[in-house]
């Protein structure tokens, strides 16, 4: 009997189950990536918030924590992007895939392909999926509007079939997934697997401090909203004092936040003002962001870090998928993946097994 959980995604990435742990900034550390990978998923390390030397060090730690291959996420407009790419290529013995949003061109994608590294971008629109495949990407993750952080307006149930009909590479579904029934449903649509961020963040293996974790487990769907006030692009977050403050602020406050966030990022990463401005302008070139919004976007990880690293659930920002509104537990990655696998197999079996006593419908 064939294994319904063996898909083009598992064959491509070498993972046991068709589940991807996404690269959440400050959260997808070697600790979480190793735990998810050891449990059967495919984990992505959050390289987009790291400098090159830090990424090299974190990859080294991860190699010691798991025998499984893993992925790395990055942005082509982040400070030190060229060096980041070189670090990834230098670790092609274990880095099986890269994920990214906007940025990489055909030449960069070609370098990854030459190193036998799968390019698996995340997109929120059919046209972006088509563009990425045309540039040479071998797999696509689609994130529906239910997803956390920067998100689009098209629901997963609409976006997924749109992209499946438009491209002919493995497609991974993200946005609203947390359990085995979601995996079974995605496979029924024709996806090769699911990607989860919030569900993996809400595990005991996640490095997020208990305070913010309690805010996540206590949140209902009514406590989660989409805002454009952080950087001009829709982001889904838990409503907290900091987000309320940002929502009420005007244009002057936007500039002040941009400069303050830039200073924080400069201190944290060692990036120069030139690096920060270059990063910000790189982001404005890809959308309708103003410079202060782009400065906030470039430095927004500092506000995320305040919550998910420092543990300040009131004065930081907490990105989340809408699915957090129905989750209230913090299982280990091993417990989570065991439950997802069993549930998915049971549900798939329930609609693929013919009942011999059934007489049909008259």
């Amino acid at each position: 009997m064939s294994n319904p959980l063996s898909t083009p995604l598992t064959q491509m990435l070498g993972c046991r189950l068709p589940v991807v742990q996404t690269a959440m900034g400050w959260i997808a550390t070697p600790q979480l990536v190793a735990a998810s990978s050891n449990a059967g998923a495919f984990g992505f390390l959050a390289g987009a918030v790291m400098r090159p030397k830090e990424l090299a060090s974190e990859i080294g730690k991860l190699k010691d924590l798991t025998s499984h291959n893993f992925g790395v996420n990055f942005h082509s407009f982040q400070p030190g992007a060229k060096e980041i790419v070189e670090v990834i290529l230098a670790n092609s013995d274990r880095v099986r895939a890269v994920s990214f949003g906007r940025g990489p061109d055909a030449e960069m994608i070609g370098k990854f392909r030459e190193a036998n590294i799968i390019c698996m971008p995340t997109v929120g629109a059919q046209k972006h999926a088509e563009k990425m495949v045309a540039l040479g990407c071998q797999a696509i993750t689609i994130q529906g509007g239910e997803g956390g952080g920067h998100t689009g307006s098209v629901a997963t149930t609409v976006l997924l079939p749109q992209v499946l009909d438009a491209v002919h590479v493995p497609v991974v579904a993200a946005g609203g997934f947390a359990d085995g029934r979601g995996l079974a449903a995605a496979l029924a649509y024709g996806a090769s697997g699911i990607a989860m961020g919030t569900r993996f963040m809400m595990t005991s293996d996640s490095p997020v401090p208990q305070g913010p974790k309690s805010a996540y487990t206590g949140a209902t769907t009514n406590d989660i909203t989409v805002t454009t006030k952080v950087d001009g692009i829709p982001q889904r977050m838990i409503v907290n004092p900091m987000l309320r403050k940002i929502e009420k602020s005007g244009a002057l406050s936007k500039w002040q936040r941009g400069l303050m966030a830039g200073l924080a990022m400069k201190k944290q990463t060692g990036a120069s003002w030139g690096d920060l401005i270059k990063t910000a302008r790189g982001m404005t070139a890809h959308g309708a962001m103003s410079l202060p919004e782009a400065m906030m976007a470039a430095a927004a990880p500092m506000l995320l870090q305040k919550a998910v690293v420092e543990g300040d659930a009131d004065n930081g920002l907490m990105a989340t998928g809408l699915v957090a509104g129905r989750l209230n537990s913090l299982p280990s990655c091993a417990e989570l993946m065991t439950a997802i696998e069993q549930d998915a197999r049971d549900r798939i079996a329930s609609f693929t097994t013919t009942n011999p006593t059934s007489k049909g419908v008259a």
Side-chain angles (χ1 to χ4, degrees), residues 103-249:
D105 56 18
E107 181 180 358
M108 184 180 292
I109 290 170
K111 288 183 179 180
F112 287 126
R113 292 190 60 147
E114 288 175 6
N116 200 32
I117 295 175
I118 302 298
C119 290
M120 196 167 120
T122 298
V123 303
Q126 176 185 330
K127 64 180 181 180
H128 296 148
E130 292 172 332
K131 178 180 178 180
M132 288 294 100
V133 171
L135 288 174
C137 294
Q138 302 106 305
I140 296 289
T141 298
I142 64 99
Q143 179 178 301
E146 301 92 325
H150 287 117
T151 193
S153 58
V154 182
T156 303
T157 51
V158 175
L159 181 61
L160 178 57
Q162 274 187 324
V163 174
L164 285 168
D165 289 344
V167 302
H168 301 287
V169 298
V171 175
V172 180
F177 296 99
D179 52 27
R181 61 183 161 187
L183 174 56
L187 296 178
Y189 267 93
S192 290
I194 59 172
M196 305 188 303
T198 301
R199 176 70 276 191
F200 277 111
M201 185 274 295
M202 294 175 66
T203 62
S204 60
D205 294 303
S206 162
V208 175
Q210 189 56 48
K213 276 186 178 178
S214 295
Y216 278 98
T217 56
T220 69
T221 52
N222 291 329
D223 300 315
I224 299 171
T225 191
V226 175
T227 179
T228 60
K229 285 296 188 79
V230 173
D231 58 16
I233 298 177
Q235 294 192 62
R236 189 178 295 282
M237 295 185 175
I238 289 180
V239 177
N240 71 341
M242 174 54 72
L243 185 59
R244 292 191 188 98
K245 181 179 179 180
I246 290 174
E247 283 284 317
K248 293 177 181 178
S249 63

